[in-house]
Amino acid sequence: MTVLVINCGSSSVKFQLVDADPGHATGAGASALKGQIEQIGTRVPDHAAALDQIAQTVKAHLARTNGQLSAIGHRVVHGGTQYRDPAIINAQVIDAIDRLAVLAPLHNPANNDGIKAALRSFPGVPQVAVFDTAFHATIPEAHRRYAVPEKWEREYQVRRYGFHGTSHQFVSRRCAQWLEANRAIDPTVSRIVVLHLGNGASACAVLGGASIDTSMGLTPLPGLVMGTRSGDIDPAVFGHLNRVAGMSVEAVETALNRESGMVGMCADADMRAVESRIQAGDAQAEAAMAVYIHRIRSVIGAYAIGLGGIDAVAFTAGIGENSAYVRARVTHGLEWMGMAIDDQRNAEATLGPLGVSEISTDASAAALLVIPTNEELEIATQALSTLS
């Protein structure tokens, strides 16, 4: 069954045509067509114009291949507390996504623009919203609440939501299947830490297939160090910078999201370039990397407590999948936790059955794995499952 997956950002639209099987244990998907339109608002007038171009491309491909579109799946960043599962798109869902824009002002409006344009371009094709926050709806209250006035949560929805949900769900499911096949661990009790390490980065603790903790919060800003985002920081920095530098809330917020993280510490958000600088003896790059690695290791330790032990750590996304250097620095010295990396396996990271590469030694109590994420396949599979 063919699903068009649409991911609308504030200034770009990614799309992918996926052949998926909702009844298959792994989704069994293959990409038939994919692309991206950037510079919306400058080179392309708006999301509607971008979707018109995408619609023409997709329809031409389907005509050439005698294909038929079964569904359209939309990535929607924020579902708030309302959406714990994907939702078939109708007027009520569109209104709800608009209302939730207060929690994701850069993303939800763009997501809705894509939905409305797709409804016009593909009338009659069922469409489903898949929410980035939904996988984390299972996080226990003690893990999701902030120690702030109760009114803030009740009236202003201040709490931990988490993001990268489709990636964490896809990778943790693949990881659980690998553990069952290779370690005879029952998926219903498996204890997995997923490290989604890209320009945006988050960690997730998954117990028996359910998210019980994640590093991002009300917004995608907190948690791990990212390419341009600070990750965790003392919230009093807002007041401090206002007093000593006259910075507004908006200015500090912009700096923490776009001028911090790796680019703030060493003027480079590309991890490949940072690694090259470290190898050349660049002290600034090494200092930034040390902060980056420390945050990841701290989260692994905290999640080991929350999970009651760790059966596997899964590395995914651009850095997690491609940087043997980062994987080695994260895991070296954690043998006391039952994690032992095999340097040769790590360097090669050859994908085996289920698209999983084991990089731990045979004696390692916890499996260290590299699992390429596939958010588009996860969205396509969830869309078909919801419709069926």
Side-chain angles (χ1 to χ4, degrees):
M1 303 178 76
T2 302
V3 180
L4 173 61
V5 175
I6 296 174
N7 181 355
C8 280
S10 57
S11 62
S12 67
V13 180
K14 298 178 183 178
F15 73 96
Q16 192 166 148
L17 210 56
V18 179
D19 294 322
D21 178 1
H24 196 283
T26 63
S31 173
L33 179 72
K34 62 182 177 180
Q36 180 171 344
I37 296 178
E38 299 180 321
Q39 298 178 348
I40 293 175
T42 54
R43 188 172 64 85
V44 180
D46 51 31
H47 287 85
L51 261 294
D52 285 343
Q53 292 184 31
I54 292 170
Q56 293 173 19
T57 301
V58 169
K59 289 175 180 177
H61 173 83
L62 293 173
R64 285 195 308 270
T65 59
N66 294 318
Q68 184 175 355
L69 204 56
S70 300
I72 298 176
H74 294 267
R75 178 192 180 226
V76 178
V77 167
H78 221 303
T81 58
Q82 184 171 348
Y83 292 103
R84 301 172 64 94
D85 299 291
I88 298 173
I89 291 171
N90 54 29
Q92 289 73 30
V93 172
I94 292 173
D95 287 344
I97 293 170
D98 273 336
R99 289 195 303 273
L100 290 165
V102 67
L103 295 172
L106 294 178
H107 295 92
N108 271 34
N111 298 154
N112 244 356
D113 286 344
I115 288 171
K116 294 170 185 176
L119 288 169
R120 291 192 297 269
S121 297
F122 297 95
V125 178
Q127 306 198 27
V128 176
V130 178
F131 298 91
D132 225 19
T133 52
F135 182 58
H136 303 300
T138 53
I139 292 177
E141 182 181 21
H143 296 184
R144 67 162 173 81
R145 288 197 69 178
Y146 294 127
V148 297
E150 189 269 338
K151 178 181 178 180
W152 291 10
E153 180 171 11
R154 185 181 71 252
E155 296 189 15
Y156 309 129
Q157 304 175 71
V158 175
R159 49 159 286 177
R160 183 183 305 281
Y161 292 96
F163 300 89
H164 292 143
T166 52
S167 176
H168 288 301
Q169 189 166 8
F170 178 87
V171 172
S172 62
R173 184 188 302 114
R174 283 281 171 96
C175 185
Q177 292 166 347
W178 187 94
L179 287 171
E180 183 177 31
N182 293 274
R183 299 284 182 95
I185 294 174
D186 185 345
T188 63
V189 296
S190 60
R191 304 166 299 177
I192 297 168
V193 174
V194 179
L195 299 175
H196 179 107
L197 306 179
N199 188 53
S202 67
C204 184
V206 183
L207 179 61
S211 172
I212 66 162
D213 210 346
T214 191
S215 57
M216 288 179 169
L218 172 71
T219 73
L221 177 60
L224 306 180
V225 173
M226 301 173 231
T228 65
R229 296 182 193 139
S230 64
D232 284 344
I233 192 168
D234 185 342
V237 73
F238 282 85
H240 173 72
L241 289 174
N242 177 258
R243 290 188 296 272
V244 302
M247 294 179 69
S248 66
V249 169
E250 292 77 14
V252 176
E253 193 171 51
T254 297
L256 292 177
N257 277 286
R258 300 179 181 176
E259 302 164 10
S260 299
M262 297 301 289
V263 78
M265 291 189 291
C266 69
D268 217 326
D270 188 328
M271 193 60 71
R272 293 164 298 187
V274 175
E275 290 178 25
S276 295
R277 288 170 57 185
I278 291 171
Q279 291 166 5
D282 188 315
Q284 185 184 34
E286 168 56 35
M289 178 66 77
V291 176
Y292 180 88
I293 298 298
H294 168 69
R295 294 279 183 86
I296 298 171
R297 287 163 64 93
S298 295
V299 165
I300 292 173
Y303 289 175
I305 295 173
L307 291 166
I310 296 175
D311 295 315
V313 175
F315 292 87
T316 194
I319 297 168
E321 294 170 25
N322 296 298
S323 178
Y325 177 86
V326 166
R327 296 192 299 261
R329 286 197 60 165
V330 167
T331 54
H332 274 156
L334 297 184
E335 289 80 7
W336 64 275
M337 291 184 68
M339 300 178 192
I341 192 168
D342 184 302
D343 289 328
Q344 183 173 349
R345 289 178 180 176
N346 182 43
E348 296 171 353
T350 304
L351 298 181
L354 295 172
V356 175
S357 174
E358 182 181 9
I359 59 173
S360 46
T361 66
D362 292 337
S364 181
L368 303 176
L369 307 173
V370 178
I371 305 178
T373 190
N374 194 331
E375 294 172 270
E376 290 77 17
L377 175 57
E378 183 66 26
I379 291 170
T381 304
Q382 289 192 31
L384 290 175
S385 296
T386 300
L387 292 169
S388 63

